PDB file of all heavy atoms in Angstrom:
ATOM      1  N   HIS A   1      76.073 105.847 106.351  1.00 97.00           N
ATOM      2  CA  HIS A   1      76.190 106.401 105.008  1.00 97.00           C
ATOM      3  C   HIS A   1      77.338 107.410 104.944  1.00 97.00           C
ATOM      4  O   HIS A   1      78.002 107.536 103.916  1.00 97.00           O
ATOM      5  CB  HIS A   1      74.874 107.073 104.603  1.00 97.00           C
ATOM      6  CG  HIS A   1      73.717 106.131 104.513  1.00 97.00           C
ATOM      7  ND1 HIS A   1      73.743 105.005 103.715  1.00 97.00           N
ATOM      8  CD2 HIS A   1      72.496 106.144 105.111  1.00 97.00           C
ATOM      9  CE1 HIS A   1      72.582 104.363 103.828  1.00 97.00           C
ATOM     10  NE2 HIS A   1      71.821 105.032 104.671  1.00 97.00           N
ATOM     11  N   ALA A   2      77.577 108.120 106.028  1.00 94.00           N
ATOM     12  CA  ALA A   2      78.645 109.122 106.047  1.00 94.00           C
ATOM     13  C   ALA A   2      80.026 108.464 106.016  1.00 94.00           C
ATOM     14  O   ALA A   2      80.916 108.893 105.277  1.00 94.00           O
ATOM     15  CB  ALA A   2      78.509 110.007 107.280  1.00 94.00           C
ATOM     16  N   HIS A   3      80.198 107.419 106.827  1.00 94.00           N
ATOM     17  CA  HIS A   3      81.487 106.731 106.901  1.00 94.00           C
ATOM     18  C   HIS A   3      81.564 105.550 105.938  1.00 94.00           C
ATOM     19  O   HIS A   3      82.622 104.922 105.830  1.00 94.00           O
ATOM     20  CB  HIS A   3      81.756 106.256 108.327  1.00 94.00           C
ATOM     21  CG  HIS A   3      82.048 107.362 109.297  1.00 94.00           C
ATOM     22  ND1 HIS A   3      83.321 107.729 109.649  1.00 94.00           N
ATOM     23  CD2 HIS A   3      81.212 108.190 109.970  1.00 94.00           C
ATOM     24  CE1 HIS A   3      83.275 108.728 110.511  1.00 94.00           C
ATOM     25  NE2 HIS A   3      82.005 109.034 110.729  1.00 94.00           N
ATOM     26  N   ARG A   4      80.458 105.249 105.284  1.00 96.00           N
ATOM     27  CA  ARG A   4      80.398 104.207 104.254  1.00 96.00           C
ATOM     28  C   ARG A   4      80.828 102.842 104.791  1.00 96.00           C
ATOM     29  O   ARG A   4      81.687 102.162 104.228  1.00 96.00           O
ATOM     30  CB  ARG A   4      81.272 104.578 103.048  1.00 96.00           C
ATOM     31  CG  ARG A   4      81.078 105.970 102.505  1.00 96.00           C
ATOM     32  CD  ARG A   4      79.680 106.187 101.940  1.00 96.00           C
ATOM     33  NE  ARG A   4      79.474 105.563 100.632  1.00 96.00           N
ATOM     34  CZ  ARG A   4      78.361 105.719  99.908  1.00 96.00           C
ATOM     35  NH1 ARG A   4      77.361 106.453 100.387  1.00 96.00           N
ATOM     36  NH2 ARG A   4      78.246 105.143  98.749  1.00 96.00           N
ATOM     37  N   PHE A   5      80.213 102.442 105.896  1.00 97.00           N
ATOM     38  CA  PHE A   5      80.508 101.110 106.397  1.00 97.00           C
ATOM     39  C   PHE A   5      79.222 100.374 106.750  1.00 97.00           C
ATOM     40  O   PHE A   5      78.183 100.965 107.011  1.00 97.00           O
ATOM     41  CB  PHE A   5      81.461 101.150 107.596  1.00 97.00           C
ATOM     42  CG  PHE A   5      80.856 101.664 108.882  1.00 97.00           C
ATOM     43  CD1 PHE A   5      79.989 100.899 109.649  1.00 97.00           C
ATOM     44  CD2 PHE A   5      81.188 102.934 109.344  1.00 97.00           C
ATOM     45  CE1 PHE A   5      79.452 101.367 110.834  1.00 97.00           C
ATOM     46  CE2 PHE A   5      80.649 103.429 110.532  1.00 97.00           C
ATOM     47  CZ  PHE A   5      79.777 102.638 111.276  1.00 97.00           C
ATOM     48  N   VAL A   6      79.331  99.055 106.756  1.00 98.00           N
ATOM     49  CA  VAL A   6      78.264  98.160 107.198  1.00 98.00           C
ATOM     50  C   VAL A   6      78.889  97.133 108.125  1.00 98.00           C
ATOM     51  O   VAL A   6      79.852  96.449 107.750  1.00 98.00           O
ATOM     52  CB  VAL A   6      77.601  97.431 106.015  1.00 98.00           C
ATOM     53  CG1 VAL A   6      76.558  96.432 106.525  1.00 98.00           C
ATOM     54  CG2 VAL A   6      76.963  98.407 105.046  1.00 98.00           C
ATOM     55  N   PHE A   7      78.370  97.047 109.340  1.00 97.00           N
ATOM     56  CA  PHE A   7      78.794  95.985 110.256  1.00 97.00           C
ATOM     57  C   PHE A   7      77.677  94.967 110.351  1.00 97.00           C
ATOM     58  O   PHE A   7      76.544  95.297 110.692  1.00 97.00           O
ATOM     59  CB  PHE A   7      79.116  96.530 111.646  1.00 97.00           C
ATOM     60  CG  PHE A   7      79.303  95.431 112.672  1.00 97.00           C
ATOM     61  CD1 PHE A   7      80.322  94.504 112.508  1.00 97.00           C
ATOM     62  CD2 PHE A   7      78.454  95.314 113.760  1.00 97.00           C
ATOM     63  CE1 PHE A   7      80.489  93.474 113.428  1.00 97.00           C
ATOM     64  CE2 PHE A   7      78.615  94.296 114.681  1.00 97.00           C
ATOM     65  CZ  PHE A   7      79.639  93.373 114.522  1.00 97.00           C
ATOM     66  N   LEU A   8      77.990  93.719 110.048  1.00 97.00           N
ATOM     67  CA  LEU A   8      77.030  92.625 110.116  1.00 97.00           C
ATOM     68  C   LEU A   8      77.284  91.825 111.387  1.00 97.00           C
ATOM     69  O   LEU A   8      78.402  91.356 111.633  1.00 97.00           O
ATOM     70  CB  LEU A   8      77.161  91.736 108.878  1.00 97.00           C
ATOM     71  CG  LEU A   8      76.697  92.418 107.588  1.00 97.00           C
ATOM     72  CD1 LEU A   8      77.479  91.910 106.399  1.00 97.00           C
ATOM     73  CD2 LEU A   8      75.208  92.187 107.377  1.00 97.00           C
ATOM     74  N   SER A   9      76.245  91.664 112.197  1.00 95.00           N
ATOM     75  CA  SER A   9      76.380  91.063 113.520  1.00 95.00           C
ATOM     76  C   SER A   9      76.211  89.550 113.461  1.00 95.00           C
ATOM     77  O   SER A   9      75.090  89.040 113.443  1.00 95.00           O
ATOM     78  CB  SER A   9      75.333  91.655 114.474  1.00 95.00           C
ATOM     79  OG  SER A   9      75.461  93.051 114.556  1.00 95.00           O
ATOM     80  N   ASN A  10      77.311  88.843 113.443  1.00 94.00           N
ATOM     81  CA  ASN A  10      77.293  87.387 113.442  1.00 94.00           C
ATOM     82  C   ASN A  10      76.996  86.888 114.854  1.00 94.00           C
ATOM     83  O   ASN A  10      77.631  87.313 115.818  1.00 94.00           O
ATOM     84  CB  ASN A  10      78.656  86.859 112.969  1.00 94.00           C
ATOM     85  CG  ASN A  10      78.600  85.422 112.531  1.00 94.00           C
ATOM     86  OD1 ASN A  10      77.539  84.793 112.511  1.00 94.00           O
ATOM     87  ND2 ASN A  10      79.746  84.883 112.155  1.00 94.00           N
ATOM     88  N   THR A  11      76.032  86.004 114.995  1.00 89.00           N
ATOM     89  CA  THR A  11      75.571  85.577 116.315  1.00 89.00           C
ATOM     90  C   THR A  11      76.668  84.882 117.113  1.00 89.00           C
ATOM     91  O   THR A  11      77.478  84.145 116.559  1.00 89.00           O
ATOM     92  CB  THR A  11      74.368  84.620 116.208  1.00 89.00           C
ATOM     93  OG1 THR A  11      74.755  83.459 115.465  1.00 89.00           O
ATOM     94  CG2 THR A  11      73.204  85.291 115.536  1.00 89.00           C
ATOM     95  N   GLN A  12      76.660  85.115 118.437  1.00 87.00           N
ATOM     96  CA  GLN A  12      77.625  84.519 119.356  1.00 87.00           C
ATOM     97  C   GLN A  12      79.068  84.691 118.868  1.00 87.00           C
ATOM     98  O   GLN A  12      79.906  83.826 119.072  1.00 87.00           O
ATOM     99  CB  GLN A  12      77.327  83.029 119.574  1.00 87.00           C
ATOM    100  CG  GLN A  12      76.337  82.726 120.683  1.00 87.00           C
ATOM    101  CD  GLN A  12      74.899  82.812 120.173  1.00 87.00           C
ATOM    102  OE1 GLN A  12      74.587  82.278 119.112  1.00 87.00           O
ATOM    103  NE2 GLN A  12      74.037  83.458 120.928  1.00 87.00           N
ATOM    104  N   SER A  13      79.332  85.828 118.251  1.00 89.00           N
ATOM    105  CA  SER A  13      80.685  86.101 117.756  1.00 89.00           C
ATOM    106  C   SER A  13      81.114  87.524 118.103  1.00 89.00           C
ATOM    107  O   SER A  13      81.743  88.220 117.308  1.00 89.00           O
ATOM    108  CB  SER A  13      80.743  85.888 116.241  1.00 89.00           C
ATOM    109  OG  SER A  13      80.435  84.562 115.898  1.00 89.00           O
ATOM    110  N   GLY A  14      80.738  87.957 119.300  1.00 85.00           N
ATOM    111  CA  GLY A  14      81.131  89.269 119.780  1.00 85.00           C
ATOM    112  C   GLY A  14      80.308  90.419 119.249  1.00 85.00           C
ATOM    113  O   GLY A  14      80.662  91.577 119.452  1.00 85.00           O
ATOM    114  N   SER A  15      79.202  90.124 118.582  1.00 82.00           N
ATOM    115  CA  SER A  15      78.455  91.181 117.901  1.00 82.00           C
ATOM    116  C   SER A  15      77.845  92.192 118.859  1.00 82.00           C
ATOM    117  O   SER A  15      77.809  93.387 118.559  1.00 82.00           O
ATOM    118  CB  SER A  15      77.367  90.573 117.015  1.00 82.00           C
ATOM    119  OG  SER A  15      76.455  89.803 117.782  1.00 82.00           O
ATOM    120  N   SER A  16      77.353  91.741 120.005  1.00 80.00           N
ATOM    121  CA  SER A  16      76.729  92.673 120.955  1.00 80.00           C
ATOM    122  C   SER A  16      77.730  93.692 121.473  1.00 80.00           C
ATOM    123  O   SER A  16      77.395  94.858 121.697  1.00 80.00           O
ATOM    124  CB  SER A  16      76.112  91.905 122.132  1.00 80.00           C
ATOM    125  OG  SER A  16      75.061  91.071 121.693  1.00 80.00           O
ATOM    126  N   SER A  17      78.964  93.252 121.658  1.00 78.00           N
ATOM    127  CA  SER A  17      80.003  94.163 122.132  1.00 78.00           C
ATOM    128  C   SER A  17      80.444  95.115 121.040  1.00 78.00           C
ATOM    129  O   SER A  17      80.575  96.324 121.250  1.00 78.00           O
ATOM    130  CB  SER A  17      81.214  93.348 122.620  1.00 78.00           C
ATOM    131  OG  SER A  17      80.861  92.484 123.677  1.00 78.00           O
ATOM    132  N   ILE A  18      80.665  94.591 119.853  1.00 86.00           N
ATOM    133  CA  ILE A  18      81.256  95.383 118.779  1.00 86.00           C
ATOM    134  C   ILE A  18      80.305  96.448 118.268  1.00 86.00           C
ATOM    135  O   ILE A  18      80.718  97.581 117.985  1.00 86.00           O
ATOM    136  CB  ILE A  18      81.704  94.458 117.631  1.00 86.00           C
ATOM    137  CG1 ILE A  18      82.817  93.535 118.117  1.00 86.00           C
ATOM    138  CG2 ILE A  18      82.180  95.274 116.432  1.00 86.00           C
ATOM    139  CD1 ILE A  18      83.179  92.441 117.130  1.00 86.00           C
ATOM    140  N   ARG A  19      79.021  96.125 118.134  1.00 82.00           N
ATOM    141  CA  ARG A  19      78.124  97.085 117.492  1.00 82.00           C
ATOM    142  C   ARG A  19      77.875  98.333 118.337  1.00 82.00           C
ATOM    143  O   ARG A  19      77.356  99.323 117.829  1.00 82.00           O
ATOM    144  CB  ARG A  19      76.807  96.414 117.110  1.00 82.00           C
ATOM    145  CG  ARG A  19      75.958  95.905 118.232  1.00 82.00           C
ATOM    146  CD  ARG A  19      74.774  95.136 117.658  1.00 82.00           C
ATOM    147  NE  ARG A  19      73.908  94.614 118.708  1.00 82.00           N
ATOM    148  CZ  ARG A  19      73.341  93.413 118.655  1.00 82.00           C
ATOM    149  NH1 ARG A  19      73.536  92.623 117.621  1.00 82.00           N
ATOM    150  NH2 ARG A  19      72.553  93.002 119.638  1.00 82.00           N
ATOM    151  N   LYS A  20      78.284  98.325 119.595  1.00 82.00           N
ATOM    152  CA  LYS A  20      78.161  99.525 120.421  1.00 82.00           C
ATOM    153  C   LYS A  20      79.179 100.593 120.018  1.00 82.00           C
ATOM    154  O   LYS A  20      78.927 101.790 120.170  1.00 82.00           O
ATOM    155  CB  LYS A  20      78.340  99.166 121.904  1.00 82.00           C
ATOM    156  CG  LYS A  20      77.175  98.381 122.498  1.00 82.00           C
ATOM    157  CD  LYS A  20      77.408  98.119 123.967  1.00 82.00           C
ATOM    158  CE  LYS A  20      76.223  97.401 124.593  1.00 82.00           C
ATOM    159  NZ  LYS A  20      74.986  98.198 124.566  1.00 82.00           N
ATOM    160  N   LEU A  21      80.329 100.155 119.507  1.00 87.00           N
ATOM    161  CA  LEU A  21      81.404 101.097 119.208  1.00 87.00           C
ATOM    162  C   LEU A  21      81.064 102.059 118.070  1.00 87.00           C
ATOM    163  O   LEU A  21      81.340 103.250 118.171  1.00 87.00           O
ATOM    164  CB  LEU A  21      82.692 100.335 118.907  1.00 87.00           C
ATOM    165  CG  LEU A  21      83.250  99.518 120.082  1.00 87.00           C
ATOM    166  CD1 LEU A  21      84.485  98.750 119.651  1.00 87.00           C
ATOM    167  CD2 LEU A  21      83.588 100.423 121.264  1.00 87.00           C
ATOM    168  N   PRO A  22      80.491 101.583 116.961  1.00 90.00           N
ATOM    169  CA  PRO A  22      80.166 102.524 115.880  1.00 90.00           C
ATOM    170  C   PRO A  22      78.800 103.196 116.036  1.00 90.00           C
ATOM    171  O   PRO A  22      78.379 103.925 115.136  1.00 90.00           O
ATOM    172  CB  PRO A  22      80.186 101.630 114.641  1.00 90.00           C
ATOM    173  CG  PRO A  22      79.766 100.297 115.131  1.00 90.00           C
ATOM    174  CD  PRO A  22      80.331 100.189 116.522  1.00 90.00           C
ATOM    175  N   ASP A  23      78.118 102.984 117.151  1.00 90.00           N
ATOM    176  CA  ASP A  23      76.777 103.557 117.342  1.00 90.00           C
ATOM    177  C   ASP A  23      76.703 105.057 117.042  1.00 90.00           C
ATOM    178  O   ASP A  23      75.814 105.503 116.320  1.00 90.00           O
ATOM    179  CB  ASP A  23      76.273 103.296 118.761  1.00 90.00           C
ATOM    180  CG  ASP A  23      75.473 102.006 118.865  1.00 90.00           C
ATOM    181  OD1 ASP A  23      75.329 101.330 117.829  1.00 90.00           O
ATOM    182  OD2 ASP A  23      75.007 101.680 119.961  1.00 90.00           O
ATOM    183  N   PRO A  24      77.614 105.883 117.586  1.00 92.00           N
ATOM    184  CA  PRO A  24      77.498 107.335 117.348  1.00 92.00           C
ATOM    185  C   PRO A  24      77.686 107.738 115.887  1.00 92.00           C
ATOM    186  O   PRO A  24      77.358 108.858 115.513  1.00 92.00           O
ATOM    187  CB  PRO A  24      78.615 107.922 118.226  1.00 92.00           C
ATOM    188  CG  PRO A  24      78.933 106.859 119.220  1.00 92.00           C
ATOM    189  CD  PRO A  24      78.723 105.577 118.503  1.00 92.00           C
ATOM    190  N   TYR A  25      78.221 106.811 115.084  1.00 93.00           N
ATOM    191  CA  TYR A  25      78.529 107.135 113.688  1.00 93.00           C
ATOM    192  C   TYR A  25      77.623 106.387 112.710  1.00 93.00           C
ATOM    193  O   TYR A  25      77.845 106.410 111.508  1.00 93.00           O
ATOM    194  CB  TYR A  25      79.994 106.798 113.402  1.00 93.00           C
ATOM    195  CG  TYR A  25      80.902 107.352 114.469  1.00 93.00           C
ATOM    196  CD1 TYR A  25      81.275 106.578 115.561  1.00 93.00           C
ATOM    197  CD2 TYR A  25      81.337 108.668 114.420  1.00 93.00           C
ATOM    198  CE1 TYR A  25      82.078 107.100 116.571  1.00 93.00           C
ATOM    199  CE2 TYR A  25      82.142 109.201 115.414  1.00 93.00           C
ATOM    200  CZ  TYR A  25      82.504 108.411 116.493  1.00 93.00           C
ATOM    201  OH  TYR A  25      83.289 108.931 117.497  1.00 93.00           O
ATOM    202  N   SER A  26      76.582 105.730 113.259  1.00 96.00           N
ATOM    203  CA  SER A  26      75.703 104.903 112.437  1.00 96.00           C
ATOM    204  C   SER A  26      74.397 105.623 112.139  1.00 96.00           C
ATOM    205  O   SER A  26      73.775 106.189 113.034  1.00 96.00           O
ATOM    206  CB  SER A  26      75.409 103.576 113.150  1.00 96.00           C
ATOM    207  OG  SER A  26      76.599 102.850 113.382  1.00 96.00           O
TER     208      SER A  26
END
């Protein structure tokens, strides 16, 4: 809500790797 973003995790498309990056800001 602070950074106003939504990341949608598409299966078998790098989602497990990518969603770790914005964790501290989610």
Side-chain angles (χ1 to χ4, degrees):
H1 296 304
H3 289 263
R4 311 296 284 186
F5 72 75
V6 176
F7 169 62
L8 291 149
S9 302
N10 198 3
T11 60
Q12 273 85 46
S13 299
S15 60
S16 296
S17 300
I18 296 171
R19 64 186 180 220
K20 289 182 177 297
L21 296 177
D23 268 0
Y25 312 93
S26 300

